[in-house]
Amino acid sequence: MRHPAREAINKFNKLLNLHEDPLMQDWEVECADALRIEEFINCYRTSASTDDERFTLMALILGSFEEYHGLETPKPEVWEKIRYILSTESKLHEDHIEYYSCLETEVPEEWFPITPFIRAV
């Protein structure tokens, strides 16, 4: 399974003013911010220039979307932007898609809140 790349994490920490603690295990979860998800999507479109950067930033976007989904019903246009990226770059993001799809179980209680969205991809 592919993981966020250190150089890309460093770039986005600076670019997005994210504060990473050296003891963090999962940057994409700990830096996720539901209130900044559209900013992260825009950054993906304008500043993620390599596969490592796109993969890393998508991890942050999905972590943020999961938080966002927990706060309120997602705006269709927010999900549509994410869905479009995942669909058009599905090979690059196949690990994200597989992980959040929870294909090993059909029990919805064992899914992530965003699993139904990701499965639709």
Side-chain angles (χ1 to χ4, degrees):
M1 181 168 191
R2 187 175 188 167
H3 297 283
R6 172 47 50 196
E7 285 184 29
I9 289 171
N10 292 342
K11 174 182 176 173
F12 294 120
N13 281 343
K14 288 179 185 171
L15 189 64
L16 296 166
N17 196 28
L18 300 172
H19 301 285
E20 180 182 17
D21 183 300
L23 299 177
M24 280 185 184
Q25 278 190 312
D26 297 311
W27 172 83
E28 65 276 16
V29 174
E30 301 215 29
C31 289
D33 187 339
L35 301 176
R36 296 179 67 189
I37 190 166
E38 292 191 69
E39 176 186 0
F40 298 156
I41 293 169
N42 289 335
C43 184
Y44 184 98
R45 291 181 172 157
T46 61
S47 300
S49 56
T50 68
D51 282 352
D52 279 347
E53 290 175 1
R54 285 188 287 276
F55 183 87
T56 298
L57 196 50
M58 181 53 70
L60 181 63
I61 290 167
L62 291 172
S64 298
F65 186 64
E66 186 174 6
E67 279 191 17
Y68 179 80
H69 187 271
L71 293 176
E72 59 184 83
T73 301
K75 297 177 194 170
E77 60 271 18
V78 171
W79 166 242
E80 184 53 33
K81 291 173 187 177
I82 297 168
R83 187 209 58 77
Y84 179 79
I85 295 168
L86 291 174
S87 296
T88 58
E89 299 179 19
S90 60
K91 187 69 176 160
L92 173 61
H93 297 300
E94 66 186 342
D95 285 342
H96 293 312
I97 294 167
E98 184 178 320
Y99 177 73
Y100 281 104
S101 290
C102 298
L103 297 175
E104 68 281 353
T105 181
E106 291 302 317
V107 180
E109 292 79 18
E110 296 176 5
W111 294 352
F112 295 101
I114 64 172
T115 295
F117 290 92
I118 302 298
R119 282 186 171 199
V121 173

